[in-house]
Amino acid sequence: MIEVKDLKKSFEDKAILKGITTSFEAGKTNLIIGTSGSGKTVFVKCLVGLLTPTSGTITYDGIEFTALSQREKKDIRTKIGMLFQGSALFDSMTVEENVMFPLNMFSKMTAKEKMDRVNFCLERVNLVGANKKYPAEISGGMMKRVGIARAIVLNPKYLFCDEPNSGLDPKTALVIDELLGDITHEYNMTTIINTHDMNSVMGMGEKIVFLHQGYKEWEGTRHQLLESDNETLYDFIFASDFLKELRKGAGQSIKLSK
Amino acid sequence: MKFFYHFGKYLLMMRDMLTRPENLHMYWKELLRQMNGIGVGSLIIIGVISLFVGAVTALQFAYQMGSTFFPDYLIGYIVRDTMIIELAPTLSGLVLAGKVGSNMASELGTMRISEQIDALEIMGVNPNGYLIMPKIIAAIFIVPPLIVLAALLGIYGGYWAAENYGISPANYQKGLLYLFDPFNVVIMTVKSVIFAFLIASVACYQGFYVKGGALDIGRASTRAVVYGSILVIFFDYIVALVLT
């Protein structure tokens, strides 16, 4: 479980996060949503320690991450897997080498054990036979899947995903969403996904935190989302005229099946 | 003020690089990859340039001596000393600042923009240690042999040009042995180590802290070449001042 208390982050005199308090439970897909510029990426970067918060605390299973030194943070980081928006695969390495990289760095497995683990992870993300290809030779969806395989190869306790569906077609995006959901439940991970893809929100949002102008505007489940009377949230979800009309047509009664 | 800001940041980058490797074997692999990139990748350009620079030095000296009473063998002496003391280290330094410097800056810049450096950090790998240290160490170990090779090829180029100009090989060889001071080789080695460190560390600094997009990678790469070249020339003067 990750707990965040009164998290603030400013760049010089510009406040980006203005006191966010929330928590993310293990075994659930936690989604952070919000418009562009609402502070989602800064929030996630603070959570993983890529940015140092101006004030506030972040606690990983009772350990105050924000109070740790860089060296101490390394221990927690080995329990973190992250999928980046652009996948962040190492260009000079093949798919197999990319996934094996964390194992080579941190595990004491034999070469065969490492290979088995890599093949297992690649199989888990439905990517068989691409071991020897370089990132430049595979599609965007495949790159995301390699990114997921690399993120889970060390069996992380916490999985962070920054816009996992950006740049993907709706069908591939669904595959990625399902994969992230399955992995989260299978390994009981604390998964935090930063997105503004409403398909993902409705499909997998077991907990949703809505950020607006640096504040936590709303939080709840996807089932509570459509019933919320929060105006800002409403404007975000039903941003397009098409969806607004659809909602009107349905008599304001769009509901999710449980 | 800006200079002090960047110099301080550069020193911090160097300090952060000096941590215990997470896995020695992986760092070693990266070091070998960098050595291969810098060494093998620069062999042809350094070789061709040095060969012709040596040849041109011999020809021009022979041309200038044409109407004087200086003995022919002085061509070998002049080519040898200019190549060892000045042309091999400095010219190679400038060429490497362009080739290796821009390559390092753009590689790190691309890694920064595409979040590969962030990915390393999240995994718990020290990106300064894993990405910068092997580049600097590789440069320090590979550039001096490259410069020695450049000096040898330059001397050979001079030999070849002198022979074509009508100077006997025996005379050129006599010049090569004439008043040879081994300390000149020390000067060349000192220069090559300093240049290697400057070229690699400045390029890494420029690439590692890139912000923005593709355009900024290009700018960082250009800055790496410009600052690297200026520092090579500046420290060439400092070493000459101190050691000669």
Side-chain angles (χ1 to χ4, degrees), chain A residues 151-177:
Chain A
I152 63 168
V153 76
L154 281 175
N155 267 331
K157 280 181 82 174
Y158 317 100
L159 179 65
F160 290 85
C161 305
D162 187 16
E163 309 261 5
N165 294 333
S166 70
L168 298 182
D169 64 89
K171 213 171 173 182
T172 312
L174 264 177
V175 173
I176 299 288
D177 282 350

PDB file of all heavy atoms in Angstrom, chain A residues 151-177:
ATOM      1  N   ALA A 151       9.189  -4.443 -16.713  1.00  0.00           N
ATOM      2  CA  ALA A 151       8.746  -3.902 -15.418  1.00  0.00           C
ATOM      3  C   ALA A 151       8.412  -5.005 -14.415  1.00  0.00           C
ATOM      4  O   ALA A 151       8.563  -4.814 -13.218  1.00  0.00           O
ATOM      5  CB  ALA A 151       7.541  -2.990 -15.626  1.00  0.00           C
ATOM      6  N   ILE A 152       7.948  -6.156 -14.898  1.00  0.00           N
ATOM      7  CA  ILE A 152       7.530  -7.208 -13.948  1.00  0.00           C
ATOM      8  C   ILE A 152       8.573  -8.307 -13.756  1.00  0.00           C
ATOM      9  O   ILE A 152       8.363  -9.220 -12.974  1.00  0.00           O
ATOM     10  CB  ILE A 152       6.185  -7.856 -14.379  1.00  0.00           C
ATOM     11  CG1 ILE A 152       6.320  -8.563 -15.744  1.00  0.00           C
ATOM     12  CG2 ILE A 152       5.072  -6.834 -14.387  1.00  0.00           C
ATOM     13  CD1 ILE A 152       5.142  -9.459 -16.092  1.00  0.00           C
ATOM     14  N   VAL A 153       9.685  -8.200 -14.475  1.00  0.00           N
ATOM     15  CA  VAL A 153      10.648  -9.315 -14.462  1.00  0.00           C
ATOM     16  C   VAL A 153      11.227  -9.596 -13.069  1.00  0.00           C
ATOM     17  O   VAL A 153      11.557 -10.716 -12.739  1.00  0.00           O
ATOM     18  CB  VAL A 153      11.754  -9.093 -15.533  1.00  0.00           C
ATOM     19  CG1 VAL A 153      12.771  -8.054 -15.089  1.00  0.00           C
ATOM     20  CG2 VAL A 153      12.444 -10.398 -15.878  1.00  0.00           C
ATOM     21  N   LEU A 154      11.323  -8.545 -12.241  1.00  0.00           N
ATOM     22  CA  LEU A 154      11.876  -8.745 -10.892  1.00  0.00           C
ATOM     23  C   LEU A 154      10.772  -8.967  -9.852  1.00  0.00           C
ATOM     24  O   LEU A 154      11.021  -8.837  -8.650  1.00  0.00           O
ATOM     25  CB  LEU A 154      12.730  -7.540 -10.480  1.00  0.00           C
ATOM     26  CG  LEU A 154      14.145  -7.448 -11.050  1.00  0.00           C
ATOM     27  CD1 LEU A 154      14.801  -6.136 -10.630  1.00  0.00           C
ATOM     28  CD2 LEU A 154      15.015  -8.602 -10.612  1.00  0.00           C
ATOM     29  N   ASN A 155       9.563  -9.285 -10.316  1.00  0.00           N
ATOM     30  CA  ASN A 155       8.413  -9.471  -9.419  1.00  0.00           C
ATOM     31  C   ASN A 155       8.192  -8.268  -8.525  1.00  0.00           C
ATOM     32  O   ASN A 155       8.240  -8.373  -7.294  1.00  0.00           O
ATOM     33  CB  ASN A 155       8.639 -10.698  -8.526  1.00  0.00           C
ATOM     34  CG  ASN A 155       8.030 -11.923  -9.149  1.00  0.00           C
ATOM     35  OD1 ASN A 155       7.045 -11.823  -9.882  1.00  0.00           O
ATOM     36  ND2 ASN A 155       8.615 -13.069  -8.867  1.00  0.00           N
ATOM     37  N   PRO A 156       7.926  -7.102  -9.087  1.00  0.00           N
ATOM     38  CA  PRO A 156       7.833  -5.894  -8.249  1.00  0.00           C
ATOM     39  C   PRO A 156       6.581  -5.906  -7.366  1.00  0.00           C
ATOM     40  O   PRO A 156       5.586  -6.539  -7.709  1.00  0.00           O
ATOM     41  CB  PRO A 156       7.752  -4.764  -9.279  1.00  0.00           C
ATOM     42  CG  PRO A 156       7.129  -5.388 -10.464  1.00  0.00           C
ATOM     43  CD  PRO A 156       7.600  -6.806 -10.498  1.00  0.00           C
ATOM     44  N   LYS A 157       6.662  -5.177  -6.272  1.00  0.00           N
ATOM     45  CA  LYS A 157       5.486  -5.022  -5.405  1.00  0.00           C
ATOM     46  C   LYS A 157       4.630  -3.863  -5.889  1.00  0.00           C
ATOM     47  O   LYS A 157       3.443  -3.797  -5.609  1.00  0.00           O
ATOM     48  CB  LYS A 157       5.930  -4.728  -3.964  1.00  0.00           C
ATOM     49  CG  LYS A 157       6.354  -5.964  -3.192  1.00  0.00           C
ATOM     50  CD  LYS A 157       6.752  -5.600  -1.792  1.00  0.00           C
ATOM     51  CE  LYS A 157       5.524  -5.470  -0.876  1.00  0.00           C
ATOM     52  NZ  LYS A 157       5.904  -5.241   0.525  1.00  0.00           N
ATOM     53  N   TYR A 158       5.282  -2.927  -6.570  1.00  0.00           N
ATOM     54  CA  TYR A 158       4.580  -1.723  -7.012  1.00  0.00           C
ATOM     55  C   TYR A 158       4.816  -1.546  -8.511  1.00  0.00           C
ATOM     56  O   TYR A 158       5.956  -1.606  -8.973  1.00  0.00           O
ATOM     57  CB  TYR A 158       5.107  -0.484  -6.282  1.00  0.00           C
ATOM     58  CG  TYR A 158       5.327  -0.708  -4.808  1.00  0.00           C
ATOM     59  CD1 TYR A 158       6.597  -0.969  -4.302  1.00  0.00           C
ATOM     60  CD2 TYR A 158       4.255  -0.697  -3.916  1.00  0.00           C
ATOM     61  CE1 TYR A 158       6.813  -1.203  -2.955  1.00  0.00           C
ATOM     62  CE2 TYR A 158       4.457  -0.929  -2.559  1.00  0.00           C
ATOM     63  CZ  TYR A 158       5.745  -1.181  -2.086  1.00  0.00           C
ATOM     64  OH  TYR A 158       5.951  -1.420  -0.760  1.00  0.00           O
ATOM     65  N   LEU A 159       3.743  -1.326  -9.239  1.00  0.00           N
ATOM     66  CA  LEU A 159       3.875  -1.126 -10.689  1.00  0.00           C
ATOM     67  C   LEU A 159       3.292   0.233 -11.074  1.00  0.00           C
ATOM     68  O   LEU A 159       2.126   0.522 -10.766  1.00  0.00           O
ATOM     69  CB  LEU A 159       3.143  -2.242 -11.446  1.00  0.00           C
ATOM     70  CG  LEU A 159       3.176  -2.171 -12.968  1.00  0.00           C
ATOM     71  CD1 LEU A 159       4.604  -2.343 -13.500  1.00  0.00           C
ATOM     72  CD2 LEU A 159       2.279  -3.254 -13.584  1.00  0.00           C
ATOM     73  N   PHE A 160       4.109   1.052 -11.705  1.00  0.00           N
ATOM     74  CA  PHE A 160       3.654   2.373 -12.143  1.00  0.00           C
ATOM     75  C   PHE A 160       3.592   2.399 -13.668  1.00  0.00           C
ATOM     76  O   PHE A 160       4.508   1.906 -14.332  1.00  0.00           O
ATOM     77  CB  PHE A 160       4.630   3.457 -11.671  1.00  0.00           C
ATOM     78  CG  PHE A 160       4.595   3.678 -10.189  1.00  0.00           C
ATOM     79  CD1 PHE A 160       5.346   2.892  -9.331  1.00  0.00           C
ATOM     80  CD2 PHE A 160       3.804   4.667  -9.633  1.00  0.00           C
ATOM     81  CE1 PHE A 160       5.311   3.071  -7.959  1.00  0.00           C
ATOM     82  CE2 PHE A 160       3.758   4.873  -8.266  1.00  0.00           C
ATOM     83  CZ  PHE A 160       4.512   4.066  -7.424  1.00  0.00           C
ATOM     84  N   CYS A 161       2.532   2.972 -14.195  1.00  0.00           N
ATOM     85  CA  CYS A 161       2.408   3.060 -15.654  1.00  0.00           C
ATOM     86  C   CYS A 161       2.043   4.487 -16.024  1.00  0.00           C
ATOM     87  O   CYS A 161       1.045   5.023 -15.530  1.00  0.00           O
ATOM     88  CB  CYS A 161       1.312   2.130 -16.161  1.00  0.00           C
ATOM     89  SG  CYS A 161       1.539   0.428 -15.654  1.00  0.00           S
ATOM     90  N   ASP A 162       2.867   5.086 -16.864  1.00  0.00           N
ATOM     91  CA  ASP A 162       2.592   6.450 -17.304  1.00  0.00           C
ATOM     92  C   ASP A 162       1.970   6.392 -18.694  1.00  0.00           C
ATOM     93  O   ASP A 162       2.649   6.033 -19.657  1.00  0.00           O
ATOM     94  CB  ASP A 162       3.902   7.250 -17.311  1.00  0.00           C
ATOM     95  CG  ASP A 162       3.670   8.723 -17.606  1.00  0.00           C
ATOM     96  OD1 ASP A 162       2.515   9.173 -17.511  1.00  0.00           O
ATOM     97  OD2 ASP A 162       4.650   9.417 -17.934  1.00  0.00           O
ATOM     98  N   GLU A 163       0.716   6.743 -18.781  1.00  0.00           N
ATOM     99  CA  GLU A 163      -0.019   6.747 -20.049  1.00  0.00           C
ATOM    100  C   GLU A 163       0.240   5.470 -20.865  1.00  0.00           C
ATOM    101  O   GLU A 163       0.797   5.546 -21.966  1.00  0.00           O
ATOM    102  CB  GLU A 163       0.388   7.969 -20.896  1.00  0.00           C
ATOM    103  CG  GLU A 163       0.326   9.280 -20.155  1.00  0.00           C
ATOM    104  CD  GLU A 163      -0.932  10.072 -20.431  1.00  0.00           C
ATOM    105  OE1 GLU A 163      -1.810   9.548 -21.141  1.00  0.00           O
ATOM    106  OE2 GLU A 163      -1.029  11.184 -19.902  1.00  0.00           O
ATOM    107  N   PRO A 164      -0.136   4.319 -20.348  1.00  0.00           N
ATOM    108  CA  PRO A 164       0.205   3.074 -21.057  1.00  0.00           C
ATOM    109  C   PRO A 164      -0.449   2.938 -22.426  1.00  0.00           C
ATOM    110  O   PRO A 164       0.025   2.164 -23.255  1.00  0.00           O
ATOM    111  CB  PRO A 164      -0.291   1.977 -20.111  1.00  0.00           C
ATOM    112  CG  PRO A 164      -1.286   2.620 -19.224  1.00  0.00           C
ATOM    113  CD  PRO A 164      -0.900   4.057 -19.113  1.00  0.00           C
ATOM    114  N   ASN A 165      -1.538   3.682 -22.659  1.00  0.00           N
ATOM    115  CA  ASN A 165      -2.249   3.523 -23.932  1.00  0.00           C
ATOM    116  C   ASN A 165      -1.985   4.628 -24.941  1.00  0.00           C
ATOM    117  O   ASN A 165      -2.566   4.608 -26.028  1.00  0.00           O
ATOM    118  CB  ASN A 165      -3.764   3.457 -23.681  1.00  0.00           C
ATOM    119  CG  ASN A 165      -4.118   2.218 -22.911  1.00  0.00           C
ATOM    120  OD1 ASN A 165      -3.416   1.224 -22.998  1.00  0.00           O
ATOM    121  ND2 ASN A 165      -5.189   2.282 -22.144  1.00  0.00           N
ATOM    122  N   SER A 166      -1.138   5.567 -24.584  1.00  0.00           N
ATOM    123  CA  SER A 166      -0.950   6.687 -25.515  1.00  0.00           C
ATOM    124  C   SER A 166      -0.310   6.186 -26.812  1.00  0.00           C
ATOM    125  O   SER A 166       0.639   5.398 -26.787  1.00  0.00           O
ATOM    126  CB  SER A 166      -0.095   7.776 -24.886  1.00  0.00           C
ATOM    127  OG  SER A 166       1.215   7.334 -24.758  1.00  0.00           O
ATOM    128  N   GLY A 167      -0.870   6.636 -27.904  1.00  0.00           N
ATOM    129  CA  GLY A 167      -0.328   6.268 -29.211  1.00  0.00           C
ATOM    130  C   GLY A 167      -0.741   4.894 -29.694  1.00  0.00           C
ATOM    131  O   GLY A 167      -0.224   4.423 -30.704  1.00  0.00           O
ATOM    132  N   LEU A 168      -1.637   4.226 -28.976  1.00  0.00           N
ATOM    133  CA  LEU A 168      -2.052   2.891 -29.405  1.00  0.00           C
ATOM    134  C   LEU A 168      -3.482   2.921 -29.946  1.00  0.00           C
ATOM    135  O   LEU A 168      -4.297   3.741 -29.523  1.00  0.00           O
ATOM    136  CB  LEU A 168      -2.000   1.914 -28.222  1.00  0.00           C
ATOM    137  CG  LEU A 168      -0.644   1.675 -27.570  1.00  0.00           C
ATOM    138  CD1 LEU A 168      -0.787   0.654 -26.454  1.00  0.00           C
ATOM    139  CD2 LEU A 168       0.381   1.190 -28.580  1.00  0.00           C
ATOM    140  N   ASP A 169      -3.779   1.997 -30.854  1.00  0.00           N
ATOM    141  CA  ASP A 169      -5.146   1.912 -31.358  1.00  0.00           C
ATOM    142  C   ASP A 169      -6.032   1.331 -30.258  1.00  0.00           C
ATOM    143  O   ASP A 169      -5.532   0.667 -29.341  1.00  0.00           O
ATOM    144  CB  ASP A 169      -5.183   1.044 -32.620  1.00  0.00           C
ATOM    145  CG  ASP A 169      -4.785  -0.376 -32.335  1.00  0.00           C
ATOM    146  OD1 ASP A 169      -5.660  -1.175 -32.003  1.00  0.00           O
ATOM    147  OD2 ASP A 169      -3.576  -0.679 -32.408  1.00  0.00           O
ATOM    148  N   PRO A 170      -7.365   1.568 -30.309  1.00  0.00           N
ATOM    149  CA  PRO A 170      -8.242   1.159 -29.207  1.00  0.00           C
ATOM    150  C   PRO A 170      -8.169  -0.336 -28.881  1.00  0.00           C
ATOM    151  O   PRO A 170      -8.247  -0.722 -27.722  1.00  0.00           O
ATOM    152  CB  PRO A 170      -9.639   1.521 -29.714  1.00  0.00           C
ATOM    153  CG  PRO A 170      -9.418   2.565 -30.731  1.00  0.00           C
ATOM    154  CD  PRO A 170      -8.100   2.300 -31.346  1.00  0.00           C
ATOM    155  N   LYS A 171      -7.972  -1.157 -29.911  1.00  0.00           N
ATOM    156  CA  LYS A 171      -7.942  -2.603 -29.676  1.00  0.00           C
ATOM    157  C   LYS A 171      -6.685  -3.006 -28.896  1.00  0.00           C
ATOM    158  O   LYS A 171      -6.764  -3.755 -27.915  1.00  0.00           O
ATOM    159  CB  LYS A 171      -7.987  -3.321 -31.036  1.00  0.00           C
ATOM    160  CG  LYS A 171      -8.712  -4.636 -30.977  1.00  0.00           C
ATOM    161  CD  LYS A 171      -8.931  -5.188 -32.367  1.00  0.00           C
ATOM    162  CE  LYS A 171      -9.497  -6.586 -32.280  1.00  0.00           C
ATOM    163  NZ  LYS A 171      -9.671  -7.175 -33.599  1.00  0.00           N
ATOM    164  N   THR A 172      -5.538  -2.476 -29.341  1.00  0.00           N
ATOM    165  CA  THR A 172      -4.279  -2.784 -28.648  1.00  0.00           C
ATOM    166  C   THR A 172      -4.317  -2.201 -27.233  1.00  0.00           C
ATOM    167  O   THR A 172      -3.822  -2.816 -26.283  1.00  0.00           O
ATOM    168  CB  THR A 172      -3.075  -2.203 -29.423  1.00  0.00           C
ATOM    169  OG1 THR A 172      -3.221  -2.566 -30.794  1.00  0.00           O
ATOM    170  CG2 THR A 172      -1.762  -2.729 -28.906  1.00  0.00           C
ATOM    171  N   ALA A 173      -4.932  -1.004 -27.112  1.00  0.00           N
ATOM    172  CA  ALA A 173      -5.037  -0.373 -25.794  1.00  0.00           C
ATOM    173  C   ALA A 173      -5.803  -1.284 -24.829  1.00  0.00           C
ATOM    174  O   ALA A 173      -5.419  -1.425 -23.662  1.00  0.00           O
ATOM    175  CB  ALA A 173      -5.738   0.969 -25.918  1.00  0.00           C
ATOM    176  N   LEU A 174      -6.861  -1.911 -25.346  1.00  0.00           N
ATOM    177  CA  LEU A 174      -7.646  -2.831 -24.515  1.00  0.00           C
ATOM    178  C   LEU A 174      -6.807  -4.015 -24.049  1.00  0.00           C
ATOM    179  O   LEU A 174      -6.894  -4.435 -22.894  1.00  0.00           O
ATOM    180  CB  LEU A 174      -8.838  -3.352 -25.310  1.00  0.00           C
ATOM    181  CG  LEU A 174     -10.164  -2.620 -25.108  1.00  0.00           C
ATOM    182  CD1 LEU A 174     -11.223  -3.202 -26.027  1.00  0.00           C
ATOM    183  CD2 LEU A 174     -10.621  -2.732 -23.650  1.00  0.00           C
ATOM    184  N   VAL A 175      -5.996  -4.536 -24.980  1.00  0.00           N
ATOM    185  CA  VAL A 175      -5.126  -5.673 -24.651  1.00  0.00           C
ATOM    186  C   VAL A 175      -4.174  -5.289 -23.517  1.00  0.00           C
ATOM    187  O   VAL A 175      -3.978  -6.037 -22.551  1.00  0.00           O
ATOM    188  CB  VAL A 175      -4.335  -6.138 -25.901  1.00  0.00           C
ATOM    189  CG1 VAL A 175      -3.306  -7.201 -25.549  1.00  0.00           C
ATOM    190  CG2 VAL A 175      -5.282  -6.645 -26.968  1.00  0.00           C
ATOM    191  N   ILE A 176      -3.604  -4.099 -23.649  1.00  0.00           N
ATOM    192  CA  ILE A 176      -2.651  -3.620 -22.621  1.00  0.00           C
ATOM    193  C   ILE A 176      -3.380  -3.461 -21.277  1.00  0.00           C
ATOM    194  O   ILE A 176      -2.871  -3.872 -20.226  1.00  0.00           O
ATOM    195  CB  ILE A 176      -2.003  -2.271 -23.058  1.00  0.00           C
ATOM    196  CG1 ILE A 176      -1.216  -2.435 -24.354  1.00  0.00           C
ATOM    197  CG2 ILE A 176      -1.140  -1.676 -21.943  1.00  0.00           C
ATOM    198  CD1 ILE A 176       0.082  -3.186 -24.271  1.00  0.00           C
ATOM    199  N   ASP A 177      -4.592  -2.868 -21.322  1.00  0.00           N
ATOM    200  CA  ASP A 177      -5.374  -2.681 -20.081  1.00  0.00           C
ATOM    201  C   ASP A 177      -5.647  -4.014 -19.400  1.00  0.00           C
ATOM    202  O   ASP A 177      -5.475  -4.155 -18.189  1.00  0.00           O
ATOM    203  CB  ASP A 177      -6.719  -2.003 -20.397  1.00  0.00           C
ATOM    204  CG  ASP A 177      -6.546  -0.507 -20.612  1.00  0.00           C
ATOM    205  OD1 ASP A 177      -5.439  -0.013 -20.336  1.00  0.00           O
ATOM    206  OD2 ASP A 177      -7.504   0.145 -21.055  1.00  0.00           O
TER     207      ASP A 177
END
